[in-house]
Amino acid sequence: MRAAFAGLGFVVLSVAGCTPGADPIAPATDPEGPVVPPKAYALALPTLFPTAPAQPADNPLTEPGVALGRQLFYETALSGNSTISCASCHQQARAFTDGLARSQGVSQARTPRSSMSLANLLWEPRLTWDGAATTLENQARIPIENPVEMHQSLAAGVARLQRVAAYPPLFRAAFGSSTVTEANVLKALAQFERTLISSNSPFDRYRRGDRTALSSFELQGFILFTTHPNGTLRGGNCGDCHSGELQTNHTFSNNGLDANPADLGLGLQTGRPTDNGKFRVPSLRNTALTAPYMHDGRFATLEQVVDHYNEHVALNSPNIDPLLLNTTNDPRQQSFTLDLTATEKAQIVAFMRTLTDLPFINDPRFARP
């Protein structure tokens, strides 16, 4: 079902007629009583966003499934010493990041990389900085079982949840069985994360027709942000990778951070030398809230990020993205040089700050239950 969601730039998607979960529906003679099919969750989709990709047939969004996923997202029992949850590294006020250069796990040890924002994951074909997961269902297992992160087997976490009186009824309502399973823990988390949609920043309001949403200074930053400079047109070359309504092209790129990358990124997953030093292009939505920046959090501010692309790209980095080499604001140069002015850099940063979605980070639907 799709229907206009009046005035807010949404359409509503609901999926009905299907009971999620791998567990079979209990018969009417179930001692706990008949199973009530879960009500479909009406997901509001921004009208200007791309069409939502098909979701797993065995895990449609349902109201009890999303509610259970939200509970699990904030559940510390999924960590080995019950001190952290998914929300520890993905805090709503920071657009579901944690403000650290490298995230901190149960033993206070630092992970090798920074925490990624969780906004608009419905449209992401691959997840994590190096693309280790291709679905939200298989992504959640990675931090739970990683010894530096939550440090507990999912099987052990399931056994702990089964002993908490509140959880069996929640799993029964969502998946038709009071038995807590690994598959259904992952499915519930994935359902909740698919609802984390950010689409009401000043930039979004401008795109929907409110020409007062951006100042002239911010609008000039938007023009620079989206322009590929060629010696005649001046631009910041940002939109080649951070493109469209989602502010990402969903690819992996080497953006010239190091001549000899210590972290191989995508290459760790594929084993191909041509993928070494490539990382997932993150969405820049809410980027003013997600510092520090890059996979290792090396830049503390957006100004430092712009300085990197303007002045410090390691042009000899293996597998560097050709889009960084095929650009210039100086007609005398035939190769890479942005040569942005101080004002132009400030305008680009000002535009990126308009991607901050305050309703998203204050939405009670995503807060700790």
Side-chain angles (χ1 to χ4, degrees), residues 129-148:
W129 280 109
D130 60 9
T134 54
T135 69
L136 286 168
E137 284 79 4
N138 60 35
Q139 185 278 329
R141 184 186 293 271
I142 297 173
I144 291 173
E145 298 191 332
N146 188 310
V148 182

Side-chain angles (χ1 to χ4, degrees), residues 196-235:
L196 301 176
I197 294 177
S198 175
S199 65
N200 200 26
S201 66
F203 170 69
D204 293 301
R205 296 196 294 274
Y206 178 84
R207 291 281 293 144
R208 293 198 293 264
D210 180 1
R211 291 301 179 255
T212 68
L214 299 187
S215 69
S216 58
F217 194 81
E218 293 163 343
L219 184 57
Q220 185 57 40
F222 173 52
I223 294 170
L224 289 166
F225 183 94
T226 54
T227 299
H228 183 99
N230 58 13
T232 301
L233 291 174
R234 293 192 65 79

Side-chain angles (χ1 to χ4, degrees), residues 32-75:
E32 296 181 84
V35 172
V36 178
K39 183 179 179 181
Y41 183 93
L43 185 65
L45 299 176
T47 54
L48 295 179
F49 275 31
T51 301
Q55 299 308 301
D58 65 345
N59 195 27
L61 296 183
T62 68
E63 289 187 0
V66 171
L68 173 59
R70 178 186 173 194
Q71 191 77 35
L72 293 172
F73 188 82
Y74 289 92
E75 178 56 72

